[in-house]
Amino acid sequence: MIIKNLLSMSSVNVVKSAVQFLITLLITYFVTPTEFGLVAFSLPFIAFISMLTDLGLSSAMIQRTSLTREEAGAATTLMVAIGIGCALVLAAASKPLGAAVDMQGLPSVLAALSGSVVLSISAMGPRAVLERSLQYQTIALIEAGAALASATVGVAGALLGWGIWALIAYYVLMQAVRAVAFYVNTRRHIHMSFKWRGVALMLSFGGWVLASNVLNFTARNVGNLMIGAKLGAAAVGLFGLAFQFMTLPLMILSWPGGGVLMATLSRMNGERELERRRAAICAVLGMTAMITFPAMIYLTFGLKYPVATFLSAHWQEVLPLIAILAPAGAAQSIAAYAGPILLAHNKARLQFWVSTANSASMILAFVVALPFGLTAVAVVYLIVSILVCVLMLMIGARNCAVSYASLLGALMPATVATVLGALCALVATKGDVASLSHWLLATGVYALIVLGSYVIFRRRIWNSMQSLLGGSVPSIQANASSAG
């Protein structure tokens, strides 16, 4: 069932995001924004190289109708080989890069994190094998176990005075645990091979996926790089923390949910499945919005008291940035499904052009706004992000035969509930949520109105739930054509 897989992946990403978020907050008690900015500046490089070495092969492995043990093994070894090479290049380039951006301490941070590249890419092939078989419960257990194990070390390191190295240890150890666990669970379905010619067909599909991923990555991470080069590490630390709040719904729901949706839609073949595909798409979008819309809009007013109370004084400037970027996170949580939907419908080339427009728009937004400071960057990012998200949703809906009316109907309960909840909360507190009593009042009113609105829309919501509770899609084993 789609709902079971979605819940499994969403639950584990709640755990992972909560763990990462709490560790980040813990680290802020022991480091300055400048020190935190070193990691915030470095992580985009690590993520970019991990994505680059994937070559789009993991998505191709999931999307293919059949996959032999030899093909899975060849794809995995190819990704790992390129990952090792890229990690060595990054380690070698860390010192010149640190000198170029004038960030003291950056070379050692980059060099240490480069090891996580190889570990991360080593897990991608085995994880893709589990995804194409829709074994999301196994994936969830591995991801949660890796997050908790690495978090234990990270917290211990922070308490022992490791400073920013506690956070680095958390990232590296988590990838190590993932790599080992995913391989152990798929070793019977992967025959390690260096016959890379056998993955040529996957590379043709994966090439478009890789190009799209590069562009999407650029759109998400170019800000930190440009801010670091223009305004320094402290500004990167502030914007990076605000950006983490904004991307919470993506990490918790949309990215894992997009993977589940793509794998599931790829298994729904034939005209008889067309209506079922449409219903699944609308249901996933609607259920995601019911969580992310109220959660992100709450951040625009509900963080003032907690931030002022629990974060140190030099982090107070992050509050207005979070309030501005939060609505962008809500919009992106829905638009993020456009890519997986297009890939499931074998429209990788169209996805590339959509990603091109998205990336170009975001880069232009930063170029225009950066001279005016961080607040201007956040405002322009919000405006451009919402416009791009609307365009992405329209393109996705049109190419999967979902009407705009159906799309709007799926998003209606979340939109109405969120708008009414925010208005009532602000009216009840007269816009002042700085004190504990007013914060509790605003939070209570907001939750009550949102939940009450969902009760009113209960029939529409139940219909969406039924679409996700339908029969399960038959799994396809990785060694289907080579067993025996």
Side-chain angles (χ1 to χ4, degrees), residues 4-299:
K4 185 177 181 180
N5 292 332
L6 285 172
L7 287 175
S8 295
M9 295 310 299
S10 296
S11 298
V12 73
N13 276 274
V14 168
V15 173
K16 290 178 62 178
S17 298
V19 167
Q20 181 175 332
F21 183 68
L22 291 175
I23 286 182
T24 300
L25 288 182
L26 177 64
I27 295 298
T28 61
Y29 280 98
F30 301 96
V31 302
T32 65
T34 299
E35 292 173 310
F36 184 81
L38 295 176
V39 175
F41 187 84
S42 301
L43 287 178
F45 288 97
I46 303 303
F48 177 76
I49 292 178
S50 297
M51 175 193 60
L52 195 65
T53 52
D54 174 61
L55 300 175
L57 284 173
S58 61
S59 295
M61 290 168 69
I62 297 169
Q63 195 266 350
R64 283 173 66 87
T65 303
S66 63
L67 184 72
T68 67
R69 295 175 66 239
E70 288 72 20
E71 288 172 337
T76 299
T77 56
L78 178 59
M79 290 188 286
V80 172
I82 297 176
I84 292 173
C86 289
L88 293 174
V89 171
L90 178 62
S94 59
K95 190 172 183 179
L97 181 60
V101 297
D102 193 25
M103 289 188 182
Q104 186 177 2
L106 182 63
S108 57
V109 171
L110 266 178
L113 286 173
S114 64
S116 67
V117 171
V118 179
L119 297 170
S120 174
I121 202 68
S122 298
M124 286 186 176
R127 190 184 194 277
V129 170
L130 291 177
E131 282 199 73
R132 65 174 284 103
S133 300
L134 304 182
Q135 296 182 34
Y136 286 101
Q137 287 74 43
T138 301
I139 295 173
L141 289 174
I142 293 174
E143 296 285 9
L148 293 175
S150 57
T152 302
V153 175
V155 170
L159 297 177
L160 290 173
W162 293 1
I164 205 65
W165 290 97
L167 191 59
I168 294 172
Y170 163 76
Y171 284 116
V172 174
L173 181 59
M174 179 168 60
Q175 298 305 332
V177 175
R178 292 178 70 249
V180 172
F182 279 125
Y183 176 73
V184 168
N185 279 272
T186 58
R187 63 190 183 278
R188 295 181 179 177
H189 305 301
I190 298 179
H191 176 69
M192 292 302 179
S193 167
F194 293 94
K195 298 178 181 179
W196 294 336
R197 290 184 179 180
V199 300
L201 290 177
M202 283 191 283
L203 283 172
S204 64
F205 178 88
W208 289 108
V209 176
L210 173 62
S212 299
N213 289 342
V214 169
L215 291 170
N216 287 330
F217 174 88
T218 302
R220 289 194 304 269
N221 293 281
V222 70
N224 277 345
L225 302 180
M226 294 177 68
I227 290 171
K230 181 76 174 180
L231 303 178
V236 175
L238 291 170
F239 194 83
L241 184 59
F243 207 80
Q244 284 194 27
F245 276 93
M246 188 199 75
T247 56
L248 277 175
L250 293 171
M251 292 187 295
I252 294 173
L253 283 175
S254 303
W255 290 338
V260 172
L261 187 61
M262 186 185 80
T264 304
L265 294 179
S266 296
R267 304 293 170 264
M268 294 180 178
N269 300 313
E271 291 296 325
R272 290 181 297 179
E273 297 281 7
L274 182 59
E275 188 59 36
R276 192 173 166 216
R277 289 162 72 110
R278 293 172 181 166
I281 291 170
C282 288
V284 169
L285 293 179
M287 299 305 292
T288 298
M290 286 178 58
I291 298 172
T292 61
F293 281 17
M296 296 309 292
I297 298 306
Y298 175 77
L299 297 184

Side-chain angles (χ1 to χ4, degrees), residues 133-465:
S133 300
L134 304 182
Q135 296 182 34
Y136 286 101
Q137 287 74 43
T138 301
I139 295 173
L141 289 174
I142 293 174
E143 296 285 9
L148 293 175
S150 57
T152 302
V153 175
V155 170
L159 297 177
L160 290 173
W162 293 1
I164 205 65
W165 290 97
L167 191 59
I168 294 172
Y170 163 76
Y171 284 116
V172 174
L173 181 59
M174 179 168 60
Q175 298 305 332
V177 175
R178 292 178 70 249
V180 172
F182 279 125
Y183 176 73
V184 168
N185 279 272
T186 58
R187 63 190 183 278
R188 295 181 179 177
H189 305 301
I190 298 179
H191 176 69
M192 292 302 179
S193 167
F194 293 94
K195 298 178 181 179
W196 294 336
R197 290 184 179 180
V199 300
L201 290 177
M202 283 191 283
L203 283 172
S204 64
F205 178 88
W208 289 108
V209 176
L210 173 62
S212 299
N213 289 342
V214 169
L215 291 170
N216 287 330
F217 174 88
T218 302
R220 289 194 304 269
N221 293 281
V222 70
N224 277 345
L225 302 180
M226 294 177 68
I227 290 171
K230 181 76 174 180
L231 303 178
V236 175
L238 291 170
F239 194 83
L241 184 59
F243 207 80
Q244 284 194 27
F245 276 93
M246 188 199 75
T247 56
L248 277 175
L250 293 171
M251 292 187 295
I252 294 173
L253 283 175
S254 303
W255 290 338
V260 172
L261 187 61
M262 186 185 80
T264 304
L265 294 179
S266 296
R267 304 293 170 264
M268 294 180 178
N269 300 313
E271 291 296 325
R272 290 181 297 179
E273 297 281 7
L274 182 59
E275 188 59 36
R276 192 173 166 216
R277 289 162 72 110
R278 293 172 181 166
I281 291 170
C282 288
V284 169
L285 293 179
M287 299 305 292
T288 298
M290 286 178 58
I291 298 172
T292 61
F293 281 17
M296 296 309 292
I297 298 306
Y298 175 77
L299 297 184
T300 63
F301 65 88
L303 277 185
K304 188 171 183 179
Y305 173 77
V307 168
T309 303
F310 298 108
L311 289 187
S312 55
H314 50 251
W315 286 101
Q316 297 303 311
E317 295 178 54
V318 78
L319 186 60
L321 298 177
I322 295 173
I324 295 170
L325 292 176
Q332 290 177 6
S333 70
I334 302 303
Y337 288 107
I341 290 172
L342 291 176
L343 293 178
H345 287 78
N346 203 27
K347 296 183 180 292
R349 184 174 298 186
L350 176 59
Q351 165 62 6
F352 166 75
W353 291 115
V354 171
S355 299
T356 300
N358 177 41
S359 182
S361 300
M362 293 304 175
I363 293 175
L364 181 61
F366 277 104
V367 170
V368 171
L370 195 55
F372 302 98
L374 278 180
T375 301
V377 168
V379 171
V380 174
Y381 183 93
L382 169 64
I383 296 171
V384 173
S385 180
I386 290 178
L387 293 175
V388 169
C389 287
V390 171
L391 177 62
M392 291 174 65
L393 281 174
M394 292 175 64
I395 293 174
R398 182 174 181 179
N399 282 273
C400 64
V402 173
S403 67
Y404 296 151
S406 298
L407 182 62
L408 292 175
L411 300 178
M412 183 183 297
T415 304
V416 172
T418 301
V419 171
L420 286 178
L423 288 175
C424 291
L426 293 178
V427 169
T429 59
K430 298 181 180 179
D432 178 17
V433 290
S435 66
L436 175 60
S437 60
H438 280 193
W439 176 72
L440 290 174
L441 176 61
T443 301
V445 170
Y446 186 71
L448 183 63
I449 297 299
V450 169
L451 293 176
S453 299
Y454 289 161
V455 171
I456 295 174
F457 284 105
R458 62 187 180 278
R459 181 169 297 179
R460 184 187 295 267
I461 294 171
W462 175 244
N463 288 337
S464 295
M465 288 290 293

